[in-house]
Amino acid sequence: MAEVDVSTVSRVLRGQSEQRIRAETRDRILEVAKKLNYRANYTARALRMSRTFTLGIVVPQLDNPVFSAAIRGAENHAAKNGYSLLISHRDPGDAGTTIAKLSQMNRVDGLLVASLDADEVLRSDLAEANVPYVLLNRLLPGTALSVVLDSQEAARRATEYLISLGHRRIGHLGGRPGGFNAQERLAGYKMALDAANIPFDPRLVTMGDYTFDAGRVSVRELAKTDATAIMAATLVSAAGAMAELRLAGWQLPQEMSVIALHDALFAEMLFPALSTVMMPTEEMGRVAADLLIRKLSGEDPDPVRALPPGRLIIRDSTVAPRSGARISK
Amino acid sequence: MAEVDVSTVSRVLRGQSEQRIRAETRDRILEVAKKLNYRANYTARALRMSRTFTLGIVVPQLDNPVFSAAIRGAENHAAKNGYSLLISHRDPGDAGTTIAKLSQMNRVDGLLVASLDADEVLRSDLAEANVPYVLLNRLLPGTALSVVLDSQEAARRATEYLISLGHRRIGHLGGRPGGFNAQERLAGYKMALDAANIPFDPRLVTMGDYTFDAGRVSVRELAKTDATAIMAATLVSAAGAMAELRLAGWQLPQEMSVIALHDALFAEMLFPALSTVMMPTEEMGRVAADLLIRKLSGEDPDPVRALPPGRLIIRDSTVAPRSGARISK
DNA sequence: TAATTCTGAACAAACGATTGTTCAAGGTTG
DNA sequence: CAACCTTGAACAATCGTTTGTTCAGAATTA
């Protein structure tokens, strides 16, 4: 309609290398394009450029606030840079299938991978990917790109806060023994104890996964000890612990203080409202997308980005321990 | 490598019209394809067929269990049918932009749209879409495809249950007055009252949006009345209501029963654990994807699919009203 | 004025599939 | 044995861009 070659249109619309276009021609093309509401066909462009401008994100759970925040962060940043986000909820069962499917069909230029799987499983899944990827809150020996939260520091701060309230017998509701984050958190927990000259007692540490039910189960062990406070790995397991304790007749927070890592709206919905150390999960998604996009643009970014924990949010679940010894139930 | 024309490879791999292929040739091609781990390039196929095999889903919130369940359902069904899901978290602010962007660039074959916007806004947003779309839990006058939850019946059941416990002064924590679902729920609420010959009292109905804070604010009105129970529109507003009441010193559930529509893990995390009427939100996502895929396949499905509410889940937040009159606080 | 450079846009070749058409070779039929 | 089908696969056009190359005409230089 503008009576020019399509190649000219392409050059004008892409905006770059405008040196070889007469202003008059450019204006005419832009005008017609606007009138026609014309946009370059994405698929054709992707084929020609052999880039899809699409990122894939693989998450194990969609209803976990940690992952939904990461998705949000990634999607926003991706959109800002002209990328779209393809989501792939991956059941733990068909591990790796989606990774393979997305990358082998050239549907995505790169992958954001959040996985709770064991190192070896994850590694073999990723071996099939023929695209760059970034790991979320995971470190895998090798050169994989990663964005990690500083769980150790977060755990240290949470524990430190409990100590500052006067607690000396502090339980830890942790994650799976093998998991990367579980170790980190445990280390942070110990670090805080050390700093306060409180001896480490392995009976006060229970491991589970990060589910509500695991929280319920694990806390039964702690209930048998003389712990006066609990530092829980995640919101969800903390919620499980509180539910179970209450069911057993405990007064919260008077008889047991609870603090958790990660923050989300629902910490406030719990009773008592849960004190937390906020973790920058949305930021994690954003940074991961950024890292991946840089990588795709040919840059060679530092492989690992560590994100410091956020602030301590003191709500109602943490109080000073009772002066007297707790009456055993 | 199999020494055949690409067209032959295409025919074999697509699996269809295998009549014109010698078994020997087919096997050879398949073997080589497997050895090379070859998959047809998605982009090229999309260009040639002018179909992206990608669905877009537009949601206002990512951390709301209602939407994440819908996404999960849609993603699963889409994947099963060879489609991918492009996610687009849409801030209420830039309404419609993403709809336009996704569809005008031919990135998606169709759209799944969950929106809390007013009819007119939504309508004008959708006017820009040049692809088929399905509305989630929304009805728009016209021929739009929709999947709706039967909020009316769910509200009726929830209210009915409270009545069966002996409550006669039942408050309703509803949604925005204009909203489609708000009316539905109110109707169900009234229906249950009618059936029990309980007069409708407008003072017992408060409207807000579906947020935690709105729940807190709205419940203050109800706290001034003689209501002994509350039927809340959503989990999140119910949580807000309970938090606020507890803050004001109420004993839950003895002094106020609460039931909410929709169910999710976190209903169980609240204290007292929240009774709910489960809503098939994951199913809604699934059905919406199905409807859209059918439409894209040239079928002409019924425009509206209504999903019946799920079962009543009785937890600890609903009890019989106290026999005596409540002491006003 | 002739030779050269510059400009701006058209030309044309991909990108990797899908799918209608063609066509040689082998089989069948009258 | 000639004419005609059938079969199986190659051939070729196409989808809508991007981008290297070409090229006519205008501008500059010698």
Side-chain angles (χ1 to χ4, degrees):
Chain A
M1 247 188 77
E3 294 179 327
V4 291
D5 188 84
V6 289
S7 62
T8 308
V9 175
S10 172
R11 286 187 234 263
V12 168
L13 261 39
R14 307 232 44 223
Q16 64 198 36
S17 69
E18 286 203 24
Q19 53 268 32
R20 286 304 226 212
I21 309 282
R22 205 187 303 158
E24 183 200 347
T25 310
R26 176 164 51 76
D27 293 347
R28 181 156 36 96
I29 290 176
L30 288 176
E31 192 182 346
V32 174
K34 189 191 286 188
K35 186 152 50 182
L36 263 46
N37 203 6
Y38 171 86
R39 302 284 176 84
N41 178 292
Y42 152 79
T43 309
R45 171 186 303 196
L47 176 60
R48 177 59 229 256
M49 302 180 75
S50 41
R51 294 182 59 180
T52 63
F53 295 98
T54 301
L55 268 28
I57 187 165
V58 181
V59 295
Q61 302 160 24
L62 232 31
D63 48 3
N64 188 318
V66 173
F67 295 116
S68 60
I71 293 175
R72 195 164 356 113
E75 204 269 332
N76 277 338
H77 191 74
K80 244 175 230 153
N81 289 76
Y83 282 80
S84 297
L85 230 213
L86 212 54
I87 198 165
S88 187
H89 165 250
R90 164 151 90 83
D91 287 313
D94 58 33
T97 333
T98 43
I99 294 184
K101 207 158 41 177
L102 288 177
S103 63
Q104 282 174 11
M105 286 196 70
N106 307 300
R107 290 203 80 139
V108 298
D109 292 338
L111 246 23
L112 266 21
V113 180
S115 169
L116 300 174
D117 291 343
D119 273 12
E120 317 83 55
V121 176
L122 180 59
R123 184 187 297 285
S124 79
D125 288 355
L126 288 171
E128 314 213 20
N130 52 2
V131 294
Y133 54 86
V134 175
L135 263 29
L136 271 67
N137 207 17
R138 267 302 270 278
L139 241 30
L140 212 52
T143 55
L145 298 182
S146 286
V147 180
V148 297
L149 301 174
D150 191 345
S151 305
Q152 177 174 324
E153 171 61 10
R156 195 194 64 72
R157 279 195 208 170
T159 311
E160 182 184 63
Y161 174 65
L162 292 175
I163 294 171
S164 79
L165 286 177
H167 295 277
R168 293 187 59 84
R169 299 295 290 167
I170 299 173
H172 175 43
L173 218 64
R176 269 198 324 267
F180 165 70
N181 286 289
Q183 290 168 263
E184 291 271 299
R185 275 186 285 253
L186 189 56
Y189 167 76
K190 284 183 183 169
M191 198 175 291
L193 294 183
D194 278 358
N197 281 318
I198 300 176
F200 171 69
D201 181 349
R203 287 172 304 159
L204 292 179
V205 174
T206 66
M207 299 300 217
D209 54 16
Y210 305 121
T211 63
F212 185 72
D213 286 332
R216 300 187 89 130
V217 173
S218 301
V219 82
R220 290 187 201 136
E221 298 302 313
L222 295 179
K224 294 178 195 150
T225 69
D226 58 348
T228 60
I230 295 176
M231 191 273 285
T234 73
L235 289 178
V236 176
S237 50
M242 294 207 296
E244 181 71 15
L245 288 175
R246 210 158 32 215
L247 219 63
W250 291 54
Q251 291 296 316
L252 302 182
Q254 298 85 348
E255 296 183 328
M256 184 73 89
S257 285
V258 180
I259 190 168
L261 307 192
H262 284 112
D263 192 64
L265 180 58
F266 102 96
E268 203 159 333
M269 302 185 183
L270 298 177
F271 180 73
L274 190 60
S275 298
T276 62
V277 175
M278 186 180 253
M279 302 292 274
T281 46
E282 179 160 356
E283 175 76 0
M284 175 172 68
R286 199 190 69 71
V287 172
D290 190 57
L291 215 55
L292 188 51
I293 290 173
R294 281 186 197 287
K295 176 81 175 179
L296 292 172
S297 309
E299 291 183 40
D300 200 10
D302 286 341
V304 177
R305 285 283 300 272
L307 265 29
R311 60 202 181 80
L312 184 66
I313 299 177
I314 301 169
R315 296 202 180 88
D316 313 326
S317 66
T318 41
V319 293
R322 290 183 159 183
S323 47
R326 211 180 65 74
I327 293 97
S328 184
K329 305 228 165 188
Chain B
M1 247 188 76
E3 294 179 329
V4 290
D5 188 84
V6 290
S7 62
T8 308
V9 175
S10 172
R11 284 187 236 264
V12 168
L13 261 39
R14 309 233 43 223
Q16 64 198 33
S17 69
E18 286 204 24
Q19 54 269 33
R20 288 303 227 211
I21 310 282
R22 205 187 305 159
E24 184 200 345
T25 311
R26 177 163 50 75
D27 293 346
R28 181 157 35 97
I29 290 176
L30 288 176
E31 193 182 345
V32 173
K34 189 190 286 187
K35 186 151 48 184
L36 263 47
N37 202 6
Y38 171 87
R39 301 283 176 84
N41 180 293
Y42 154 78
T43 309
R45 178 193 306 221
L47 177 60
R48 177 60 229 256
M49 302 180 75
S50 43
R51 295 182 57 181
T52 62
F53 295 98
T54 300
L55 268 28
I57 187 165
V58 181
V59 295
Q61 301 161 24
L62 233 30
D63 50 2
N64 187 319
V66 173
F67 295 116
S68 60
I71 293 175
R72 197 167 350 115
E75 203 270 331
N76 277 337
H77 190 75
K80 246 176 228 153
N81 290 76
Y83 281 80
S84 297
L85 230 213
L86 212 54
I87 198 164
S88 187
H89 166 250
R90 164 153 91 81
D91 288 314
D94 57 35
T97 334
T98 44
I99 294 185
K101 207 158 40 178
L102 288 177
S103 64
Q104 282 175 8
M105 286 197 69
N106 307 300
R107 289 203 80 137
V108 297
D109 292 338
L111 246 23
L112 265 22
V113 180
S115 169
L116 300 174
D117 291 343
D119 274 12
E120 319 81 58
V121 177
L122 181 58
R123 183 187 299 283
S124 79
D125 287 354
L126 288 169
E128 312 214 23
N130 52 1
V131 294
Y133 55 85
V134 175
L135 263 28
L136 271 67
N137 207 17
R138 266 304 270 278
L139 240 30
L140 213 52
T143 54
L145 298 182
S146 285
V147 180
V148 296
L149 301 173
D150 191 345
S151 305
Q152 178 174 324
E153 171 61 11
R156 196 194 62 73
R157 280 196 207 169
T159 310
E160 182 184 63
Y161 173 65
L162 292 174
I163 294 171
S164 79
L165 286 176
H167 294 277
R168 294 186 58 84
R169 300 295 289 169
I170 300 174
H172 174 44
L173 218 64
R176 269 199 323 266
F180 165 69
N181 286 289
Q183 289 169 265
E184 292 270 299
R185 277 186 284 255
L186 189 57
Y189 166 76
K190 283 184 184 169
M191 198 176 292
L193 295 183
D194 278 357
N197 281 318
I198 300 176
F200 171 71
D201 180 350
R203 285 172 306 159
L204 293 179
V205 174
T206 66
M207 300 302 217
D209 55 17
Y210 306 121
T211 62
F212 185 71
D213 285 332
R216 302 187 90 129
V217 173
S218 300
V219 81
R220 290 186 200 137
E221 296 303 312
L222 295 179
K224 294 179 196 151
T225 68
D226 57 350
T228 60
I230 295 175
M231 192 274 285
T234 73
L235 289 177
V236 176
S237 50
M242 295 206 296
E244 181 70 15
L245 287 175
R246 213 159 30 217
L247 220 62
W250 292 54
Q251 293 295 317
L252 300 182
Q254 298 85 348
E255 295 182 328
M256 184 72 89
S257 286
V258 179
I259 190 168
L261 307 192
H262 284 112
D263 192 65
L265 179 59
F266 102 94
E268 203 159 331
M269 302 184 183
L270 298 177
F271 180 71
L274 190 60
S275 299
T276 62
V277 174
M278 187 180 252
M279 302 293 273
T281 45
E282 179 160 356
E283 175 75 0
M284 174 171 71
R286 202 190 66 70
V287 171
D290 190 57
L291 214 56
L292 188 51
I293 290 173
R294 281 186 197 289
K295 178 80 175 180
L296 291 172
S297 309
E299 290 183 43
D300 200 9
D302 286 341
V304 176
R305 287 281 300 272
L307 265 29
R311 61 200 180 80
L312 184 67
I313 299 177
I314 301 169
R315 297 200 179 88
D316 313 327
S317 67
T318 41
V319 294
R322 291 182 158 181
S323 45
R326 210 180 67 73
I327 293 96
S328 184
K329 307 224 163 191

